[in-house]
Amino acid sequence: MKNKKRTIDALGIDGELEDMLLTLNTQLHLLKMLDDDLFIYLAADRQATNLALLRSSVNRRVAALGA
């Protein structure tokens, strides 16, 4: 996450990193930024979910944390 943030800064991109998606042939992994040094990492079976459901699940957990 830190390297991705450095890359965004180095490229002069005007925006903040919200989340990152890693796709494997059997899994989806979503990393959701909470603040500069804190994130949630959720992995799910690709057969059991899709990106919209995964993001919804992460956002519910973020809301439950009050972040």
Side-chain angles (χ1 to χ4, degrees):
M1 297 295 276
K2 288 182 181 182
N3 285 337
K4 182 55 73 179
K5 291 172 87 172
R6 276 191 285 249
T7 301
I8 289 169
D9 291 341
L11 293 174
I13 296 172
D14 184 28
E16 291 189 32
L17 182 60
E18 285 186 32
D19 62 36
M20 290 176 40
L21 174 67
L22 304 170
T23 58
L24 285 72
N25 62 342
T26 60
Q27 297 178 339
L28 296 174
H29 294 236
L30 187 68
L31 295 86
K32 173 79 171 179
M33 296 300 299
L34 299 179
D35 63 33
D36 286 340
D37 297 316
L38 187 63
F39 60 90
I40 289 179
Y41 188 116
L42 184 65
D45 185 323
R46 274 183 98 149
Q47 299 295 333
T49 194
N50 60 46
L51 182 55
L53 291 173
L54 188 59
R55 276 200 167 116
S56 177
S57 178
V58 167
N59 289 334
R60 282 193 311 272
R61 283 160 176 76
V62 169
L65 291 172

